[in-house]
Amino acid sequence: MTPHPTAPLLSVDDLVVQYHRPGAPPTRAVAGVSLQVRAGEVVGLVGESGCGKSTLARAVCGLTAPAEGRITYAGTPVRPLRVRRRAPALTGVQMVFQDPYGSLNPRRRVGAQLSDGIRTAAERGEAPDGTSPEDLLTRVGLPASAAERYPQEFSGGQRQRIAIARALAARPRLLVGDEPISALDASAQLQVATLMRSLAVESGAGLLFISHDLSVVRLIADRIAVMYLGRIVETGPTAEVWDEPRHPYTRALLAAVPRPDGAGVLPAELPGDVPDPADPPSGCRFHPRCPQVFDGCDREEPQLIAGGVACRLYTA
Amino acid sequence: MTTATVLEISGLTLDLGGRRILGGVDLAVRPGQVHGLAGESGSGKTMTGLAALGLLPPGARTGGRIELEGTDLLTLPPRQLAALRGRSVSMVFQDPSTSLHPMLSIGHQLTDHLRHHLKLDRKTAKERAAALLTQVRIPNPREALVRYPHQFSGGMRQRIAIAIALACEPKVLIADEPTTALDVTVQAGVLRLLRGLCDDLGLAVLLVTHDLGVMSAIADQVSVMRHGLVVETGPRGRVLTDPQHEYTRTLLDSLPGRSTV
């Protein structure tokens, strides 16, 4: 990774998150991930469903307890959320959830929900800047009068804008979006994604944007991390990863995106399904589906090298 | 225009609760072709698909004609429509985790309508079910028959849903956002499967999707809908590269990747 003058805002080191099921060995949803997000930087995390990207996001916000490894936000370790409220210092991390139908309180007015966030920022000791719920709504492109209404009066795209406004109300220094656009219409997806980017970058916050939609991540992220079965297999600046993907999995993922060029080319298929994370393949986790598998891939687990790729093709 | 149309929708109007949802839709779907129906949500593309199956919500008032090989589906008595539904016209829905019955085995769901429509006996229906699962490339089809939807991944479930839709060898398959709930890698497989079935079986597919990338990959003809009207219809290559209508151009320009190129 390239050296950067500022220390990372969020630092995840060798994180392992396990889920326990009765009568079965624990499932390692995140199996040793290291990731950094700097202030003002947009990091896109992509991967197929079940690869552990949401678990990683939840761990970053303290919603899921890690089994091993460390998560530090602005120098303070992130403690998992228990019965008590989060420590005021950690409210600088805010999350936008996937489903705006479930993440907003249906029985409270939008304005009241936004005021909670403003109060949170004040409790953390941020100097009041006179932001009102109405200002926040205007910033996300909704009329100020929306504050008086209830979430049910809005469409999915509008609700997600409210959820973003609520997260911004707490004046986060790190915004985490867990598939924030996948529940939205195609026409609203790009708008909401670019809105998140511009609002985060404007306020100097870092953004960890999780999505399975590569074409959107490509447009808004500065850096991409590709995750497969609990591990990051490739990371790098967006343009580099998009133009010259190195890991065979990244290549397959990009080749599978259909392009609206009218040429009628069927996207390339990656054979096989994502293996069960409770019983990952030996060696490189991708080797059973890898088109470039060679001798030894089933024994030796590749580590993420300095160039930002975890594949034996690049270590040999 | 080499082959005759199998499903022809002309002047279809739909009013629901005093609101006009469709304002005269014209579409023609030919055997062996994928006809894509694009548009934003709320433009009426799903309603057009549902109308062809007589699955509109209660209180819907329709006008115009939906002809399946010359028979108008809109004026057909319920009993006769039920005989066609799942037999001549079938549907694949967006979300395979809710469109399959969670408590019935795959075998049960695959043979139920086979036995009803084709009056097959239990054993023949089971044979046919296994053959269908092979066709949609489900590994170990015989074992799969006794398993339940939750034991399959999303992509596998959608393949099973397609197998169920294909069981009675329909002439028309209506696929409503069949790959939207799937990952890109899985989507690629399902798209290839649909295209293959269309080419091999001469199936006519009406593909409803908002994803113009998907459209570009498998559709032969593309219609673009807006506010309950078809604003543009034409061959895929032309609609996507040289759109005639202002709205189609806006849709294409709003695509990620397009605006920056």
Side-chain angles (χ1 to χ4, degrees):
Chain A
M1 248 159 268
T2 48
H4 202 273
T6 52
L9 186 63
L10 173 79
S11 179
V12 177
D13 300 297
D14 302 315
L15 182 74
V16 176
V17 184
Q18 298 186 333
Y19 289 118
H20 297 272
R21 284 180 303 179
T27 302
R28 290 186 138 203
V30 176
V33 164
S34 301
L35 183 76
Q36 272 93 37
V37 182
R38 293 185 183 82
E41 184 187 41
V42 180
V43 176
L45 186 63
V46 295
E48 288 172 279
S49 53
C51 75
K53 49 192 196 307
S54 289
T55 305
L56 177 63
R58 293 180 64 85
V60 165
C61 296
L63 299 175
T64 307
E68 290 167 35
R70 273 185 316 143
I71 307 170
T72 42
Y73 158 72
T76 24
V78 174
R79 285 204 188 79
L81 183 69
R82 296 230 176 133
V83 185
R84 285 167 198 254
R85 294 184 60 170
R86 287 198 290 171
L90 292 181
T91 58
V93 184
Q94 290 289 327
M95 185 152 171
V96 177
F97 294 88
Q98 177 168 8
D99 178 12
Y101 291 81
S103 67
L104 296 171
N105 187 336
R107 300 183 60 169
R108 296 181 67 213
R109 289 180 203 274
V110 167
Q113 300 193 43
L114 295 181
S115 304
D116 288 350
I118 297 173
R119 215 173 304 124
T120 307
E123 281 167 17
R124 196 167 68 230
E126 299 266 345
D129 59 354
T131 311
S132 66
E134 285 78 12
D135 298 336
L136 288 162
L137 289 167
T138 323
R139 272 169 73 194
V140 297
L142 289 173
S145 59
E148 290 306 308
R149 291 156 70 189
Y150 288 94
Q152 82 227 13
E153 300 174 51
F154 298 93
S155 71
Q158 289 172 321
R159 282 185 214 211
Q160 198 61 292
R161 284 168 190 268
I162 296 170
I164 293 170
R166 184 180 59 176
L168 290 173
R171 301 189 25 213
R173 288 178 59 204
L174 176 69
L175 193 59
V176 179
D178 179 14
E179 299 266 12
I181 54 162
S182 62
L184 308 180
D185 270 332
S187 47
Q189 284 188 346
L190 190 62
Q191 282 173 17
V192 171
T194 40
L195 176 75
M196 276 187 82
R197 180 192 159 91
S198 57
L199 290 175
V201 172
E202 248 169 51
S203 60
L207 172 61
L208 178 61
F209 190 90
I210 293 169
S211 180
H212 66 272
D213 191 336
L214 290 144
S215 45
V216 170
V217 170
R218 174 199 172 193
L219 282 190
I220 70 155
D222 302 315
R223 205 148 57 78
I224 289 188
V226 183
M227 213 168 156
Y228 184 75
L229 214 63
R231 295 190 65 107
I232 288 179
V233 295
E234 182 163 359
T235 171
T238 305
E240 269 178 39
V241 174
W242 188 270
D243 295 331
E244 269 178 70
R246 286 175 297 165
H247 197 282
Y249 178 64
T250 316
R251 284 195 200 139
L253 212 52
L254 291 177
V257 180
R259 282 156 218 263
D261 49 8
V265 180
L266 282 167
E269 187 179 358
L270 177 62
D273 267 325
V274 182
D276 183 1
D279 181 23
S282 61
C284 172
R285 288 162 174 252
F286 186 56
H287 88 262
R289 299 170 83 189
C290 184
Q292 283 163 284
V293 63
F294 62 100
D295 184 45
C297 281
D298 55 342
R299 293 188 300 274
E300 205 177 301
E301 178 150 21
Q303 300 299 318
L304 205 59
I305 57 163
V309 60
C311 180
R312 295 182 61 245
L313 282 172
Y314 299 92
T315 49
Chain B
M1 316 293 151
T2 44
T3 38
T5 56
V6 52
L7 182 76
E8 182 147 19
I9 300 177
S10 44
L12 177 69
T13 61
L14 170 69
D15 293 273
L16 196 59
R19 273 182 62 208
R20 177 137 283 208
I21 308 291
L22 300 179
V25 173
D26 299 295
L27 283 178
V29 191
R30 294 185 181 78
Q33 286 209 341
V34 177
H35 194 114
L37 197 53
E40 290 175 61
S41 69
S43 60
K45 34 187 216 306
T46 294
M47 282 297 164
T48 307
L50 290 177
L53 276 160
L55 290 178
L56 291 170
R61 294 163 55 86
T62 49
R65 292 174 72 78
I66 300 178
E67 282 179 31
L68 178 74
E69 297 186 311
T71 322
D72 187 4
L73 299 179
L74 288 177
T75 53
L76 216 57
R79 188 175 275 272
Q80 286 180 40
L81 187 61
L84 285 178
R85 200 188 282 140
R87 173 77 182 86
S88 301
V89 188
S90 58
M91 185 144 183
V92 177
F93 295 91
Q94 175 168 350
D95 186 357
S97 54
T98 52
S99 68
L100 296 175
H101 196 300
M103 297 181 73
L104 298 180
S105 69
I106 300 304
H108 192 138
Q109 299 188 54
L110 259 169
T111 53
D112 219 11
H113 57 317
L114 266 179
R115 297 193 60 202
H116 173 80
H117 283 304
L118 306 181
K119 309 276 178 260
L120 296 180
D121 61 65
R122 204 179 289 267
K123 193 159 170 266
T124 330
K126 212 174 149 189
E127 292 295 318
R128 170 107 180 95
L132 281 162
L133 288 182
T134 318
Q135 200 174 12
V136 296
R137 299 206 305 275
I138 299 279
N140 304 326
R142 296 205 168 268
E143 278 171 41
L145 285 177
V146 295
R147 287 161 74 191
Y148 290 84
H150 74 268
Q151 293 169 303
F152 294 89
S153 66
M156 287 292 159
R157 273 185 229 160
Q158 196 60 297
R159 284 165 191 268
I160 292 167
I162 293 173
I164 292 173
L166 293 177
C168 296
E169 294 178 340
K171 297 187 178 75
V172 180
L173 178 72
I174 295 165
D176 187 1
E177 306 270 8
T179 57
T180 308
L182 308 176
D183 282 316
V184 278
T185 48
V186 180
Q187 165 175 285
V190 172
L191 291 181
R192 281 174 174 263
L193 172 71
L194 273 177
R195 185 70 247 185
L197 292 169
C198 195
D199 295 341
D200 301 344
L201 308 176
L203 193 68
V205 179
L206 180 62
L207 174 78
V208 176
T209 180
H210 69 261
D211 188 333
L212 293 172
V214 167
M215 202 61 98
S216 162
I218 72 165
D220 297 297
Q221 294 281 318
V222 176
S223 293
V224 182
M225 281 188 80
R226 186 193 196 189
H227 300 327
L229 287 169
V230 175
V231 297
E232 181 163 5
T233 298
R236 170 199 61 221
R238 188 185 61 64
V239 175
L240 290 173
T241 53
D242 180 25
Q244 305 295 305
H245 195 277
E246 192 52 43
Y247 179 65
T248 316
R249 211 166 294 141
T250 334
L251 264 190
L252 283 167
D253 285 342
S254 72
L255 285 175
R258 271 293 173 113
S259 42
T260 52
V261 175

